[in-house]
Amino acid sequence: MTIIDTLLEPRWIITVNDDNEVLENHSLAIHNGVIVDILPTQQASKQYQANNTLQLEGHALLPGFINSHTHAAMSLYRGLADDLPLMEWLQEHIWPAEQQHTNQEFVKVGTQLAIAEMLRSGTTCFNDMYFFPDETAKIATEIGIRACVGLIVIDFPTVWANDADEYIHKGLQLHDQLRHQSLITTAFAPHAPYTVSDAPLQKILTLSEELDIPVHMHIHETTDEVNDAIKTTGKRPLQRLSELGALSPQLIAVHMTQLVQNEIDSLATQGAHIVHCPESNQKLASGLCPVQDLLDAGINVALGTDGAASNNDLDMLGEMRSAALLGKIASMDAQAVNATTALRMATINGAKALGIDVVTGSLEVGKAADISAIQLNSIETQPLYDPVSQLVYAAGREQITHVWVAGKHLLNSRKLTSIDEVSLLADVATWQIRINNS
Ligand SMILES: [Zn+2]
C-alpha cells in the first residue's frame, strides 16, 4: 500500500487528454499537489492508502477551467452600466468610474469577489489584465488559485502609472518579484492597439522575447476599432501589429471578431493564440469571432469571460455553452464548436495559450491537481447519456461541488475554504455604497 494525500472516487473522469477520454468508475490519486495516478476504483482501494478519501457518487471530475481573459477586480462594477456599445460603455462609464474609484483597496476586494465566484464555478486559473497587478498576484496567492497576472500597459496616465515607460518599468519589477511563485505567472498586457502606441509595443515585444512571457492584448474587438485605425493609420490593427512583429506564439489575442482570411492564415502560420469571449462580444454587440474557421486553420482558441462589468458573470460553464451555440450561428453549421471542442477551449487550450500546459489543463498523471467535481445525478442533468454533453449543454455552476488547485481543497461541498464569505460580502457592500453615492 502506498500512502497518498487524497483519493477521489467519482463516477466519471473527464480527462481532456489528447484522446478526450472519459473514464467510468476510476479513481484519481493526489500526492503533494500532483495527480500521481488514475486507475480503476477497485484497484485503487488495494493500491493506495489515502489520508483523505472522497466518494463522489454521481459526480464527474474535470480539469479546472482556465478563464483565459478577465479583469477580475472589475467585478465591483458588475451591473454599473449595461446595454451599451463598447466605446460608449468604456469612455462614458467605465473609465470615469475607474478614475474615481480604482485603487489598491478596490482591486483587493474586487479580485477577492471575482476569485470567490470563479472557484464556485469550477475555475482554477485566470488570465488577468488590470491595474495594481501586484495586488491581484497577492490576493490570488493568499487564496491559492492559479493566475497569470497581466503587466498592464496603456499610453495614458492612470492610478497605476503615468506613462508607458512607467507601466513597463513597474511591470518588470513585478515580474521579477513573482518569478519564483509556483501558482503565478506573468504576461505583458498592452491594453489594445488603440491605447498603446508603436514605441511601447516595440519595447514590450523585445522584452517578451527576452523573458519568454506572453503578450496579452484586446485586438479587433469591434468594427469601429478596425475602421478608426484605417482612418488614422491607413492600416488594420493586425497589419500594424504584424509589421511590429507581434504575431508569434507569445501572442494572446483577445476577441478577434473582425478577421479576414489572410489574417486568419497569418495568425495560424505565426502560431498566435486567440481568446474568444462570446458573452462579452454579444453583450457589447461587438461581433462574431469565426471560431470554427480559426480551429480549422489550426489556431489554438481558448475561452474567457472578460470582466464582470461586460458579461456580467465569471461563469465558464455558461461561457462554454455560449461558445458552442454562437459558434454554430457564426458558421451556420450545427456541427461547429461541438461540446468536446468547447470543453477543450475552456481547459487545455487556455493552458496552451498561457504556456502552462505541462502543468495544468487536463487530468493526467504528472500534472498539478487542478480539478473540479460536478454533480451530474441531479434533476437538471438527468437522464445522462454523455457526461460532456450534459456539462456543456445542460449543467449549471451550482452543480460544481468541489474544487482543488495544486491539490488544495479550495471549494468543499460549495463552501470556500480560503475565503471568509461573510467579511467579503461586507467589504463588497461598502464599495457598492461608495460607488453608488458618487
Ligand atoms: Zn477585456
Side-chain angles (χ1 to χ4, degrees):
M1 288 285 245
T2 308
I3 296 174
I4 52 164
D5 293 334
T6 305
L7 189 66
L8 306 177
E9 299 180 345
R11 171 76 184 273
W12 298 276
I13 298 178
I14 301 171
T15 63
V16 197
N17 63 13
D18 286 344
D19 300 323
N20 295 311
E21 270 180 295
V22 178
L23 306 168
E24 199 166 354
N25 297 319
H26 277 58
S27 294
L28 185 148
I30 302 171
H31 197 61
N32 288 334
V34 172
I35 300 170
V36 292
D37 207 347
I38 296 173
L39 70 174
T41 296
Q42 273 197 328
Q43 203 179 318
S45 52
K46 289 178 200 143
Q47 206 166 319
Y48 292 108
Q49 190 185 330
N51 294 327
N52 301 292
T53 299
L54 194 58
Q55 285 169 347
L56 293 161
E57 212 189 307
H59 283 68
L61 295 183
L62 62 144
F65 295 126
I66 297 178
N67 186 349
S68 294
H69 175 70
T70 192
H71 312 276
M74 291 184 81
S75 286
L76 287 178
Y77 295 134
R78 188 200 323 263
L80 185 66
D82 294 327
D83 309 320
L84 296 165
L86 177 72
M87 290 323 285
E88 189 182 340
W89 174 78
L90 264 181
Q91 290 170 344
E92 290 173 32
H93 299 272
I94 296 302
W95 287 344
E98 284 180 334
Q99 209 157 20
Q100 200 175 353
H101 298 294
T102 299
N103 59 28
Q104 189 128 11
E105 179 64 21
F106 174 98
V107 171
K108 177 185 166 187
V109 176
T111 303
Q112 283 172 334
L113 178 65
I115 294 174
E117 181 183 357
M118 287 193 276
L119 286 172
R120 280 162 58 87
S121 39
T123 294
T124 54
C125 178
F126 66 103
N127 183 30
D128 201 62
M129 180 194 286
Y130 208 60
F131 311 106
F132 300 99
D134 53 337
E135 190 64 32
T136 309
K138 182 165 164 263
I139 297 299
T141 305
E142 278 171 15
I143 295 172
I145 193 169
R146 202 178 290 282
C148 175
V149 172
L151 312 173
I152 193 165
V153 180
I154 201 160
D155 280 345
F156 50 83
T158 63
V159 278
W160 176 239
N162 287 309
D163 56 38
D165 279 342
E166 195 186 357
Y167 286 97
I168 293 174
H169 178 69
K170 288 181 93 165
L172 285 174
Q173 270 184 331
L174 182 60
H175 169 78
D176 236 33
Q177 281 166 28
L178 297 172
R179 252 187 325 183
H180 303 297
Q181 295 269 0
S182 63
L183 293 177
I184 309 290
T185 57
T186 55
F188 282 106
H191 171 262
Y194 57 91
T195 50
V196 186
S197 45
D198 286 359
L201 272 175
Q202 247 149 0
K203 224 178 251 182
I204 288 166
L205 293 169
T206 306
L207 287 165
S208 111
E209 217 175 279
E210 273 174 28
L211 301 170
D212 194 22
I213 62 172
V215 176
H216 169 200
M217 190 177 198
H218 301 102
I219 305 174
H220 285 209
E221 184 168 0
T222 61
T223 42
D224 285 352
E225 174 191 334
V226 175
N227 292 338
D228 290 350
I230 292 171
K231 256 185 242 156
T232 53
T233 67
K235 294 171 195 165
R236 290 165 69 83
L238 257 185
Q239 177 63 33
R240 178 179 146 231
L241 291 172
S242 170
E243 287 168 13
L244 288 168
L247 304 199
S248 81
Q250 302 282 32
L251 181 66
I252 304 173
V254 182
H255 295 309
M256 297 296 228
T257 72
Q258 310 300 319
L259 287 171
V260 293
Q261 190 58 46
N262 71 338
E263 291 170 335
I264 295 176
D265 294 342
S266 67
L267 287 161
T269 311
Q270 305 295 334
H273 306 269
I274 292 180
V275 179
H276 177 40
C277 300
E279 294 189 358
S280 177
N281 292 163
Q282 289 178 89
K283 183 157 182 275
L284 299 167
S286 295
L288 285 167
C289 175
V291 175
Q292 191 60 50
D293 293 348
L294 301 175
L295 294 165
D296 291 344
I299 296 172
N300 180 51
V301 185
L303 203 55
T305 59
D306 215 346
S310 70
N311 185 306
N312 292 0
D313 61 34
L314 306 176
D315 175 5
M316 288 291 286
L317 270 176
E319 213 65 38
M320 279 199 300
R321 188 170 312 155
S322 294
L325 300 182
L326 198 61
K328 297 172 200 319
I329 287 292
S331 298
M332 281 314 282
D333 175 4
Q335 290 181 7
V337 193
N338 64 31
T340 299
T341 301
L343 178 58
R344 292 188 74 83
M345 287 166 65
T347 54
I348 189 69
N349 292 7
K352 286 179 185 166
L354 301 182
I356 54 172
D357 50 314
V358 289
V359 179
T360 190
S362 59
L363 301 183
E364 294 179 87
V365 172
K367 285 200 178 184
D370 293 357
I371 303 168
S372 77
I374 185 160
Q375 188 174 2
L376 293 177
N377 61 355
S378 50
I379 296 278
E380 291 77 6
T381 39
Q382 286 294 311
L384 190 147
Y385 306 105
D386 174 357
V388 175
S389 169
Q390 297 299 48
L391 193 65
V392 174
Y393 292 120
R397 58 179 163 174
E398 304 74 22
Q399 288 170 262
I400 302 276
T401 54
H402 298 270
V403 173
W404 295 262
V405 177
K408 274 218 175 110
H409 203 169
L410 299 185
L411 186 76
N412 185 350
S413 300
R414 289 209 59 71
K415 285 300 277 183
L416 293 162
T417 64
S418 55
I419 297 174
D420 180 341
E421 292 180 32
V422 176
S423 92
L424 170 60
L425 288 172
D427 290 343
V428 171
T430 306
W431 273 102
Q432 183 190 328
I433 292 166
R434 208 173 290 171
I435 292 167
N436 234 356
N437 287 347
S438 63

